[in-house]
DNA sequence: GTCTATATGGGGATAGAC
DNA sequence: GTCTATCCCCATATAGAC
């Protein structure tokens, strides 16, 4: 298994208080540069320079660049997806045995991303951009990140949506689930652009506004009836359950 | 102005019939590799190798890599956006002085991209991925492409949407316009993923299905009423026209 | 743990022969 | 127009001193 050659203990230097080490400085610097330049665009030299660390520190702490990428994304995505699932579970438990609240499911998916962290809105924007990049980038590394971090979310949310919006086939649910992701990512990646082109009317730095606009739009979209036939081949109609979506979200490979 | 050092005439070699030259082979190869690896990820060496051309040919025909990128995108985006505007104009003329048909406006925006080309569906998918990348990538080159090719589309469509969906503030229109782009891009970039994770129920290679699913979802979203206040600062309410959106889509810089 | 120094490779660009 | 050969820069990664 990919284990680092060494495992540095958390020694305390004489400089700061809680800042445990170079390791965190590297993660922070990498996050900023990844969000601004992309993973490929951010060189280890630029990252270590910004972190005030040495080039070789990356090798020591993360093995190689891919290890650093992995660490940067995991640090953020894990708590986000954990909160998503926690909120979804709470919703389902509260409504059981009825279907969970539709708007609640959407918010459980969107809010942990959009309202990430209580820090500056600049930091929120930056993280959303990083998040968007996870979906937008094509590389093998990114696909791996998605597979690792999204398997449970990508499985349980479509299922919950299928229960919250009965009458929609699983295929339709899946289309719309991806439309939702797309809208979210677009705001994350191009939020500043939206703000600018609106002449100040739209404020993507304001988490509540983003959420509100997204939810009112997406909720209506999900509630739309689906015209059955669309030219394509008919689904083989396997199984009998209309509430359980089968084998949704493999994330395997493909593309 | 950025003009190439030489301007090669369209000589006819003895080999093929219509294939005018290396130039087209380079464009084709670049398009494939850009869509698969990203602009940064596709090296000139890989592109020229695939095109069966020499490395120096890029320099001769396009000046440098950025010139090649510019040419690849312009070749596709120009006709697409021209068709969008042609269809929008036809819609507006037909309805005048009434507002244009809402669904028609959405289709005028979406169909020229999704149903691009009558060639193989594989080619369609590839192009959609390239298209999606245009929005997803952050680089300076991409932003320039957007600015060049989208100024008119990004200006006229939000205006038309504002007329087609009266009662929505321009700011709301702009949010939703970007949500629409996001959904479209998501399908373009991750179409194969959607197909796979649906177990065959969704078929993103089928243009009509993509269009149908998008339109039924987005139309409902646009029709949703907007809850006025959302915490954010109030818009200064400049001008008087509710049908004309002001200064929409600058594409200037920012990000 | 952190640094310097370096190995190794790949990238874009171009000069100049044909 | 096309090719070969090459320049030069920048990337990742690692060895080995401190």
């Amino acid at each position: 298994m990919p284990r680092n050659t060494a495992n540095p203990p958390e020694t305390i230097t004489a400089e700061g208080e809680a800042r445990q080490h170079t390791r965190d400085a590297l993660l922070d610097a990498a996050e900023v540069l990844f969000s601004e330049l992309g993973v490929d665009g951010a060189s280890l030299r630029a990252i270590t320079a910004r972190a005030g660390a040495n080039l070789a520190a990356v090798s020591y702490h993360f093995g190689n660049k891919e290890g650093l990428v992995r660490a940067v994304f995991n640090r953020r995505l894990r708590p986000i997806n954990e909160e998503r699932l926690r909120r979804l579970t709470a919703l389902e438990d509260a409504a059981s045995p009825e279907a969970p609240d539709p708007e609640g499911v959407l918010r459980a998916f969107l809010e942990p991303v959009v309202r990430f962290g209580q820090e500056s809105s600049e930091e929120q924007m930056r993280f959303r951009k990083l998040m968007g990049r996870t979906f937008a980038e094509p590389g093998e590394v990114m696909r791996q990140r998605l597979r690792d971090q999204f398997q449970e979310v990508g499985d349980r949310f479509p299922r919950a949506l299928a229960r919250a919006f009965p009458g929609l086939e699983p295929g339709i649910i899946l289309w719309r689930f991806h439309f939702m992701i797309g809208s979210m990512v677009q705001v994350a990646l191009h939020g500043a652009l939206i703000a600018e082109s609106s002449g100040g009317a739209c404020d993507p730095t304001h988490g509540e506004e983003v959420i509100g606009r997204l939810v009112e739009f997406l909720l209506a979209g999900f509630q739309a009836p689906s015209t059955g036939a669309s030219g394509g081949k008919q689904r083989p109609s396997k199984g009998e359950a209309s509430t359980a979506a089968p084998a949704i979200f493999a994330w395997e490979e493909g593309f």
Side-chain angles (χ1 to χ4, degrees), chain A residues 31-32 35-36 50 116-129 204-206:
Chain A
E31 181 172 298
V32 172
S35 78
E36 284 174 4
R50 175 180 247 269
F116 172 77
Q118 301 302 331
E119 317 90 2
S120 71
S121 63
E122 186 188 352
E123 242 174 319
Q124 286 192 22
M125 293 283 286
R126 173 160 50 73
F127 168 71
R128 277 182 242 162
K129 218 144 112 181
T205 66
H206 191 291

Side-chain angles (χ1 to χ4, degrees), chain A residues 35-209:
Chain A
S35 78
E36 284 174 4
L37 307 168
V39 171
D40 290 338
S43 72
L44 292 184
R45 284 179 160 82
I47 292 168
T48 50
R50 175 180 247 269
N54 187 274
L55 179 60
V58 171
S59 184
Y60 179 76
H61 285 283
F62 305 99
N64 52 26
K65 186 175 184 179
E66 182 179 330
L68 175 60
V69 174
R70 187 187 306 266
V72 166
F73 280 85
N74 283 357
R75 179 174 67 150
R76 300 302 190 193
L77 292 184
R78 191 178 350 237
I80 295 249
N81 284 328
E82 281 171 359
E83 190 189 341
R84 280 171 158 164
L85 293 171
R86 201 163 43 237
R87 291 186 51 166
L88 181 59
T89 300
L91 267 179
E92 287 175 328
D93 288 351
S96 179
E98 300 299 312
D101 173 48
E103 180 173 337
V105 177
L106 296 188
R107 287 184 179 270
F109 186 80
L110 298 169
E111 286 182 354
V113 189
V114 175
R115 278 206 302 215
F116 172 77
Q118 301 302 331
E119 317 90 2
S120 71
S121 63
E122 186 188 352
E123 242 174 319
Q124 286 192 22
M125 293 283 286
R126 173 160 50 73
F127 168 71
R128 277 182 242 162
K129 218 144 112 181
L130 186 67
M131 186 68 194
R133 213 170 271 286
T134 311
F135 285 92
E137 295 225 353
E140 187 51 50
V141 185
M142 287 303 161
R143 245 170 296 168
Q144 197 60 26
R145 286 316 81 231
L146 286 175
R147 216 177 63 88
D148 292 355
Q149 291 295 335
F150 269 110
Q151 35 189 354
E152 198 175 353
V153 166
D155 183 57
R156 283 190 54 197
F157 269 89
R159 270 185 230 280
L161 288 168
R163 297 220 309 137
F165 299 99
L168 295 179
E169 298 176 55
I172 303 295
I173 293 286
L174 205 60
W175 277 117
R176 295 181 180 182
F177 181 59
H178 278 275
F179 297 158
M180 172 171 68
I181 292 175
S183 297
M184 185 187 73
V185 167
Q186 175 74 9
V187 175
L189 278 177
H190 300 289
L193 178 65
I194 300 176
E196 182 193 350
S197 62
S198 75
C202 307
D203 181 12
T205 66
H206 191 291
E208 303 309 311
E209 178 171 3

